[in-house]
PDB file of all heavy atoms in Angstrom:
ATOM      1  N   LEU A   1      11.296  -2.133  14.389  1.00 80.00           N
ATOM      2  CA  LEU A   1      11.855  -1.012  13.627  1.00 80.00           C
ATOM      3  C   LEU A   1      10.870   0.149  13.515  1.00 80.00           C
ATOM      4  O   LEU A   1      11.249   1.256  13.144  1.00 80.00           O
ATOM      5  CB  LEU A   1      12.236  -1.467  12.209  1.00 80.00           C
ATOM      6  CG  LEU A   1      13.295  -2.554  12.111  1.00 80.00           C
ATOM      7  CD1 LEU A   1      13.492  -2.962  10.661  1.00 80.00           C
ATOM      8  CD2 LEU A   1      14.600  -2.079  12.725  1.00 80.00           C
ATOM      9  N   LEU A   2       9.623  -0.122  13.834  1.00 75.00           N
ATOM     10  CA  LEU A   2       8.566   0.862  13.617  1.00 75.00           C
ATOM     11  C   LEU A   2       8.223   1.683  14.855  1.00 75.00           C
ATOM     12  O   LEU A   2       7.912   2.865  14.757  1.00 75.00           O
ATOM     13  CB  LEU A   2       7.316   0.129  13.120  1.00 75.00           C
ATOM     14  CG  LEU A   2       6.213   0.936  12.492  1.00 75.00           C
ATOM     15  CD1 LEU A   2       6.707   1.713  11.286  1.00 75.00           C
ATOM     16  CD2 LEU A   2       5.074   0.015  12.082  1.00 75.00           C
ATOM     17  N   VAL A   3       8.312   1.067  16.012  1.00 77.00           N
ATOM     18  CA  VAL A   3       7.849   1.743  17.233  1.00 77.00           C
ATOM     19  C   VAL A   3       8.722   1.314  18.420  1.00 77.00           C
ATOM     20  O   VAL A   3       9.183   0.179  18.472  1.00 77.00           O
ATOM     21  CB  VAL A   3       6.351   1.429  17.480  1.00 77.00           C
ATOM     22  CG1 VAL A   3       6.120  -0.031  17.778  1.00 77.00           C
ATOM     23  CG2 VAL A   3       5.754   2.292  18.556  1.00 77.00           C
ATOM     24  N   SER A   4       8.929   2.247  19.343  1.00 70.00           N
ATOM     25  CA  SER A   4       9.719   1.918  20.538  1.00 70.00           C
ATOM     26  C   SER A   4       8.863   1.131  21.529  1.00 70.00           C
ATOM     27  O   SER A   4       7.631   1.136  21.461  1.00 70.00           O
ATOM     28  CB  SER A   4      10.244   3.195  21.198  1.00 70.00           C
ATOM     29  OG  SER A   4       9.219   3.829  21.928  1.00 70.00           O
ATOM     30  N   LYS A   5       9.536   0.483  22.458  1.00 75.00           N
ATOM     31  CA  LYS A   5       8.829  -0.312  23.471  1.00 75.00           C
ATOM     32  C   LYS A   5       7.948   0.550  24.363  1.00 75.00           C
ATOM     33  O   LYS A   5       7.000   0.067  24.965  1.00 75.00           O
ATOM     34  CB  LYS A   5       9.831  -1.087  24.322  1.00 75.00           C
ATOM     35  CG  LYS A   5      10.539  -2.168  23.564  1.00 75.00           C
ATOM     36  CD  LYS A   5      11.551  -2.875  24.433  1.00 75.00           C
ATOM     37  CE  LYS A   5      12.271  -3.929  23.613  1.00 75.00           C
ATOM     38  NZ  LYS A   5      13.284  -4.632  24.372  1.00 75.00           N
ATOM     39  N   ARG A   6       8.270   1.838  24.446  1.00 73.00           N
ATOM     40  CA  ARG A   6       7.522   2.736  25.343  1.00 73.00           C
ATOM     41  C   ARG A   6       6.495   3.604  24.621  1.00 73.00           C
ATOM     42  O   ARG A   6       5.844   4.438  25.246  1.00 73.00           O
ATOM     43  CB  ARG A   6       8.493   3.620  26.111  1.00 73.00           C
ATOM     44  CG  ARG A   6       9.313   2.823  27.125  1.00 73.00           C
ATOM     45  CD  ARG A   6      10.309   3.687  27.802  1.00 73.00           C
ATOM     46  NE  ARG A   6      11.369   3.897  26.794  1.00 73.00           N
ATOM     47  CZ  ARG A   6      12.368   4.719  26.914  1.00 73.00           C
ATOM     48  NH1 ARG A   6      12.475   5.453  27.978  1.00 73.00           N
ATOM     49  NH2 ARG A   6      13.278   4.829  25.981  1.00 73.00           N
ATOM     50  N   ALA A   7       6.320   3.409  23.324  1.00 70.00           N
ATOM     51  CA  ALA A   7       5.361   4.233  22.579  1.00 70.00           C
ATOM     52  C   ALA A   7       3.941   3.946  23.061  1.00 70.00           C
ATOM     53  O   ALA A   7       3.540   2.786  23.166  1.00 70.00           O
ATOM     54  CB  ALA A   7       5.466   3.943  21.085  1.00 70.00           C
ATOM     55  N   PRO A   8       3.194   5.000  23.371  1.00 68.00           N
ATOM     56  CA  PRO A   8       1.805   4.783  23.806  1.00 68.00           C
ATOM     57  C   PRO A   8       0.913   4.440  22.611  1.00 68.00           C
ATOM     58  O   PRO A   8       1.209   4.777  21.472  1.00 68.00           O
ATOM     59  CB  PRO A   8       1.411   6.140  24.404  1.00 68.00           C
ATOM     60  CG  PRO A   8       2.267   7.116  23.672  1.00 68.00           C
ATOM     61  CD  PRO A   8       3.559   6.413  23.372  1.00 68.00           C
ATOM     62  N   LYS A   9      -0.164   3.737  22.899  1.00 65.00           N
ATOM     63  CA  LYS A   9      -1.149   3.450  21.864  1.00 65.00           C
ATOM     64  C   LYS A   9      -2.014   4.695  21.655  1.00 65.00           C
ATOM     65  O   LYS A   9      -2.148   5.537  22.541  1.00 65.00           O
ATOM     66  CB  LYS A   9      -2.038   2.277  22.281  1.00 65.00           C
ATOM     67  CG  LYS A   9      -1.317   0.948  22.300  1.00 65.00           C
ATOM     68  CD  LYS A   9      -2.272  -0.227  22.442  1.00 65.00           C
ATOM     69  CE  LYS A   9      -3.091  -0.234  23.674  1.00 65.00           C
ATOM     70  NZ  LYS A   9      -2.499  -0.722  24.884  1.00 65.00           N
ATOM     71  N   ALA A  10      -2.615   4.775  20.488  1.00 66.00           N
ATOM     72  CA  ALA A  10      -3.586   5.833  20.216  1.00 66.00           C
ATOM     73  C   ALA A  10      -4.824   5.569  21.073  1.00 66.00           C
ATOM     74  O   ALA A  10      -5.063   4.428  21.507  1.00 66.00           O
ATOM     75  CB  ALA A  10      -3.957   5.833  18.736  1.00 66.00           C
ATOM     76  N   ALA A  11      -5.609   6.593  21.299  1.00 69.00           N
ATOM     77  CA  ALA A  11      -6.792   6.460  22.156  1.00 69.00           C
ATOM     78  C   ALA A  11      -7.733   5.361  21.669  1.00 69.00           C
ATOM     79  O   ALA A  11      -8.238   4.569  22.466  1.00 69.00           O
ATOM     80  CB  ALA A  11      -7.522   7.797  22.242  1.00 69.00           C
ATOM     81  N   TYR A  12      -7.957   5.282  20.356  1.00 68.00           N
ATOM     82  CA  TYR A  12      -8.872   4.257  19.841  1.00 68.00           C
ATOM     83  C   TYR A  12      -8.301   2.853  20.044  1.00 68.00           C
ATOM     84  O   TYR A  12      -9.048   1.893  20.258  1.00 68.00           O
ATOM     85  CB  TYR A  12      -9.222   4.505  18.371  1.00 68.00           C
ATOM     86  CG  TYR A  12      -8.133   4.153  17.379  1.00 68.00           C
ATOM     87  CD1 TYR A  12      -8.061   2.884  16.805  1.00 68.00           C
ATOM     88  CD2 TYR A  12      -7.167   5.093  17.007  1.00 68.00           C
ATOM     89  CE1 TYR A  12      -7.062   2.565  15.906  1.00 68.00           C
ATOM     90  CE2 TYR A  12      -6.168   4.781  16.106  1.00 68.00           C
ATOM     91  CZ  TYR A  12      -6.124   3.506  15.549  1.00 68.00           C
ATOM     92  OH  TYR A  12      -5.141   3.200  14.656  1.00 68.00           O
ATOM     93  N   GLN A  13      -6.965   2.722  20.033  1.00 66.00           N
ATOM     94  CA  GLN A  13      -6.346   1.427  20.277  1.00 66.00           C
ATOM     95  C   GLN A  13      -6.492   1.038  21.746  1.00 66.00           C
ATOM     96  O   GLN A  13      -6.791  -0.108  22.058  1.00 66.00           O
ATOM     97  CB  GLN A  13      -4.865   1.461  19.882  1.00 66.00           C
ATOM     98  CG  GLN A  13      -4.644   1.640  18.399  1.00 66.00           C
ATOM     99  CD  GLN A  13      -3.207   1.979  18.051  1.00 66.00           C
ATOM    100  OE1 GLN A  13      -2.488   2.587  18.841  1.00 66.00           O
ATOM    101  NE2 GLN A  13      -2.792   1.591  16.860  1.00 66.00           N
ATOM    102  N   SER A  14      -6.295   1.996  22.631  1.00 63.00           N
ATOM    103  CA  SER A  14      -6.461   1.728  24.066  1.00 63.00           C
ATOM    104  C   SER A  14      -7.901   1.377  24.389  1.00 63.00           C
ATOM    105  O   SER A  14      -8.162   0.474  25.191  1.00 63.00           O
ATOM    106  CB  SER A  14      -6.024   2.941  24.891  1.00 63.00           C
ATOM    107  OG  SER A  14      -4.631   3.132  24.773  1.00 63.00           O
ATOM    108  N   ALA A  15      -8.830   2.072  23.744  1.00 67.00           N
ATOM    109  CA  ALA A  15     -10.241   1.786  23.985  1.00 67.00           C
ATOM    110  C   ALA A  15     -10.604   0.371  23.538  1.00 67.00           C
ATOM    111  O   ALA A  15     -11.386  -0.317  24.189  1.00 67.00           O
ATOM    112  CB  ALA A  15     -11.121   2.812  23.265  1.00 67.00           C
ATOM    113  N   ALA A  16     -10.012  -0.073  22.440  1.00 66.00           N
ATOM    114  CA  ALA A  16     -10.323  -1.396  21.916  1.00 66.00           C
ATOM    115  C   ALA A  16      -9.580  -2.517  22.642  1.00 66.00           C
ATOM    116  O   ALA A  16     -10.116  -3.607  22.811  1.00 66.00           O
ATOM    117  CB  ALA A  16     -10.001  -1.451  20.422  1.00 66.00           C
ATOM    118  N   LEU A  17      -8.339  -2.247  23.063  1.00 66.00           N
ATOM    119  CA  LEU A  17      -7.491  -3.312  23.596  1.00 66.00           C
ATOM    120  C   LEU A  17      -7.126  -3.164  25.057  1.00 66.00           C
ATOM    121  O   LEU A  17      -6.502  -4.063  25.624  1.00 66.00           O
ATOM    122  CB  LEU A  17      -6.191  -3.388  22.781  1.00 66.00           C
ATOM    123  CG  LEU A  17      -6.353  -3.683  21.298  1.00 66.00           C
ATOM    124  CD1 LEU A  17      -5.025  -3.541  20.584  1.00 66.00           C
ATOM    125  CD2 LEU A  17      -6.930  -5.070  21.102  1.00 66.00           C
ATOM    126  N   GLY A  18      -7.458  -2.033  25.657  1.00 67.00           N
ATOM    127  CA  GLY A  18      -7.059  -1.800  27.043  1.00 67.00           C
ATOM    128  C   GLY A  18      -5.602  -1.391  27.122  1.00 67.00           C
ATOM    129  O   GLY A  18      -4.935  -1.178  26.108  1.00 67.00           O
ATOM    130  N   GLU A  19      -5.102  -1.294  28.326  1.00 71.00           N
ATOM    131  CA  GLU A  19      -3.737  -0.827  28.544  1.00 71.00           C
ATOM    132  C   GLU A  19      -2.748  -1.962  28.818  1.00 71.00           C
ATOM    133  O   GLU A  19      -1.563  -1.718  28.987  1.00 71.00           O
ATOM    134  CB  GLU A  19      -3.718   0.160  29.725  1.00 71.00           C
ATOM    135  CG  GLU A  19      -4.482   1.446  29.456  1.00 71.00           C
ATOM    136  CD  GLU A  19      -3.920   2.238  28.281  1.00 71.00           C
ATOM    137  OE1 GLU A  19      -2.693   2.229  28.065  1.00 71.00           O
ATOM    138  OE2 GLU A  19      -4.723   2.854  27.565  1.00 71.00           O
ATOM    139  N   GLU A  20      -3.227  -3.202  28.860  1.00 73.00           N
ATOM    140  CA  GLU A  20      -2.353  -4.317  29.228  1.00 73.00           C
ATOM    141  C   GLU A  20      -1.265  -4.591  28.196  1.00 73.00           C
ATOM    142  O   GLU A  20      -0.179  -5.033  28.529  1.00 73.00           O
ATOM    143  CB  GLU A  20      -3.173  -5.606  29.417  1.00 73.00           C
ATOM    144  CG  GLU A  20      -4.226  -5.536  30.503  1.00 73.00           C
ATOM    145  CD  GLU A  20      -5.495  -4.835  30.042  1.00 73.00           C
ATOM    146  OE1 GLU A  20      -5.975  -5.105  28.928  1.00 73.00           O
ATOM    147  OE2 GLU A  20      -5.986  -3.990  30.805  1.00 73.00           O
ATOM    148  N   ILE A  21      -1.564  -4.335  26.937  1.00 73.00           N
ATOM    149  CA  ILE A  21      -0.625  -4.639  25.860  1.00 73.00           C
ATOM    150  C   ILE A  21      -0.044  -3.331  25.315  1.00 73.00           C
ATOM    151  O   ILE A  21      -0.764  -2.351  25.139  1.00 73.00           O
ATOM    152  CB  ILE A  21      -1.315  -5.455  24.741  1.00 73.00           C
ATOM    153  CG1 ILE A  21      -0.321  -5.873  23.667  1.00 73.00           C
ATOM    154  CG2 ILE A  21      -2.488  -4.729  24.166  1.00 73.00           C
ATOM    155  CD1 ILE A  21      -0.884  -6.851  22.650  1.00 73.00           C
ATOM    156  N   SER A  22       1.248  -3.323  25.071  1.00 77.00           N
ATOM    157  CA  SER A  22       1.897  -2.118  24.547  1.00 77.00           C
ATOM    158  C   SER A  22       1.640  -1.986  23.047  1.00 77.00           C
ATOM    159  O   SER A  22       1.231  -2.956  22.391  1.00 77.00           O
ATOM    160  CB  SER A  22       3.414  -2.187  24.792  1.00 77.00           C
ATOM    161  OG  SER A  22       3.997  -3.191  23.963  1.00 77.00           O
ATOM    162  N   GLN A  23       1.879  -0.808  22.510  1.00 72.00           N
ATOM    163  CA  GLN A  23       1.723  -0.604  21.068  1.00 72.00           C
ATOM    164  C   GLN A  23       2.663  -1.536  20.301  1.00 72.00           C
ATOM    165  O   GLN A  23       2.284  -2.155  19.315  1.00 72.00           O
ATOM    166  CB  GLN A  23       1.992   0.845  20.665  1.00 72.00           C
ATOM    167  CG  GLN A  23       1.981   1.003  19.150  1.00 72.00           C
ATOM    168  CD  GLN A  23       1.406   2.299  18.689  1.00 72.00           C
ATOM    169  OE1 GLN A  23       0.997   3.123  19.476  1.00 72.00           O
ATOM    170  NE2 GLN A  23       1.365   2.469  17.405  1.00 72.00           N
ATOM    171  N   ARG A  24       3.899  -1.655  20.769  1.00 77.00           N
ATOM    172  CA  ARG A  24       4.865  -2.526  20.104  1.00 77.00           C
ATOM    173  C   ARG A  24       4.371  -3.969  20.094  1.00 77.00           C
ATOM    174  O   ARG A  24       4.409  -4.643  19.074  1.00 77.00           O
ATOM    175  CB  ARG A  24       6.229  -2.442  20.780  1.00 77.00           C
ATOM    176  CG  ARG A  24       7.299  -3.230  20.055  1.00 77.00           C
ATOM    177  CD  ARG A  24       8.533  -3.400  20.945  1.00 77.00           C
ATOM    178  NE  ARG A  24       9.209  -4.629  20.636  1.00 77.00           N
ATOM    179  CZ  ARG A  24       8.869  -5.836  21.086  1.00 77.00           C
ATOM    180  NH1 ARG A  24       7.844  -6.002  21.862  1.00 77.00           N
ATOM    181  NH2 ARG A  24       9.557  -6.895  20.748  1.00 77.00           N
ATOM    182  N   ASP A  25       3.876  -4.446  21.227  1.00 78.00           N
ATOM    183  CA  ASP A  25       3.387  -5.826  21.299  1.00 78.00           C
ATOM    184  C   ASP A  25       2.133  -6.011  20.453  1.00 78.00           C
ATOM    185  O   ASP A  25       1.927  -7.074  19.850  1.00 78.00           O
ATOM    186  CB  ASP A  25       3.131  -6.234  22.741  1.00 78.00           C
ATOM    187  CG  ASP A  25       4.424  -6.401  23.533  1.00 78.00           C
ATOM    188  OD1 ASP A  25       5.497  -6.534  22.907  1.00 78.00           O
ATOM    189  OD2 ASP A  25       4.364  -6.374  24.777  1.00 78.00           O
ATOM    190  N   MET A  26       1.294  -4.989  20.396  1.00 76.00           N
ATOM    191  CA  MET A  26       0.104  -5.042  19.546  1.00 76.00           C
ATOM    192  C   MET A  26       0.526  -5.217  18.087  1.00 76.00           C
ATOM    193  O   MET A  26       0.010  -6.066  17.367  1.00 76.00           O
ATOM    194  CB  MET A  26      -0.726  -3.764  19.705  1.00 76.00           C
ATOM    195  CG  MET A  26      -1.930  -3.688  18.789  1.00 76.00           C
ATOM    196  SD  MET A  26      -2.677  -2.045  18.740  1.00 76.00           S
ATOM    197  CE  MET A  26      -1.417  -1.119  17.860  1.00 76.00           C
ATOM    198  N   LEU A  27       1.506  -4.404  17.647  1.00 82.00           N
ATOM    199  CA  LEU A  27       1.985  -4.495  16.270  1.00 82.00           C
ATOM    200  C   LEU A  27       2.715  -5.809  16.021  1.00 82.00           C
ATOM    201  O   LEU A  27       2.596  -6.393  14.933  1.00 82.00           O
ATOM    202  CB  LEU A  27       2.884  -3.307  15.946  1.00 82.00           C
ATOM    203  CG  LEU A  27       2.182  -1.961  15.850  1.00 82.00           C
ATOM    204  CD1 LEU A  27       3.194  -0.836  15.685  1.00 82.00           C
ATOM    205  CD2 LEU A  27       1.174  -1.955  14.708  1.00 82.00           C
ATOM    206  N   LYS A  28       3.461  -6.272  17.002  1.00 84.00           N
ATOM    207  CA  LYS A  28       4.183  -7.541  16.862  1.00 84.00           C
ATOM    208  C   LYS A  28       3.205  -8.679  16.557  1.00 84.00           C
ATOM    209  O   LYS A  28       3.499  -9.562  15.754  1.00 84.00           O
ATOM    210  CB  LYS A  28       4.961  -7.818  18.152  1.00 84.00           C
ATOM    211  CG  LYS A  28       6.005  -8.853  18.007  1.00 84.00           C
ATOM    212  CD  LYS A  28       7.237  -8.234  17.401  1.00 84.00           C
ATOM    213  CE  LYS A  28       8.386  -9.204  17.458  1.00 84.00           C
ATOM    214  NZ  LYS A  28       9.299  -9.022  16.351  1.00 84.00           N
ATOM    215  N   ALA A  29       2.028  -8.634  17.179  1.00 82.00           N
ATOM    216  CA  ALA A  29       1.015  -9.674  16.956  1.00 82.00           C
ATOM    217  C   ALA A  29       0.416  -9.606  15.549  1.00 82.00           C
ATOM    218  O   ALA A  29      -0.171 -10.579  15.078  1.00 82.00           O
ATOM    219  CB  ALA A  29      -0.087  -9.553  18.008  1.00 82.00           C
ATOM    220  N   LEU A  30       0.561  -8.458  14.884  1.00 83.00           N
ATOM    221  CA  LEU A  30       0.017  -8.269  13.532  1.00 83.00           C
ATOM    222  C   LEU A  30       1.067  -8.464  12.448  1.00 83.00           C
ATOM    223  O   LEU A  30       0.764  -8.396  11.255  1.00 83.00           O
ATOM    224  CB  LEU A  30      -0.577  -6.855  13.408  1.00 83.00           C
ATOM    225  CG  LEU A  30      -1.731  -6.543  14.350  1.00 83.00           C
ATOM    226  CD1 LEU A  30      -2.084  -5.068  14.266  1.00 83.00           C
ATOM    227  CD2 LEU A  30      -2.928  -7.416  14.053  1.00 83.00           C
TER     228      LEU A  30
END
């Protein structure tokens, strides 16, 4: 409900987690 499947991660999130995981999947894990 918070983010679309295609929403990009913020730069600091990409730097920490790389590009393999989407923002939605990152949030799903939290």
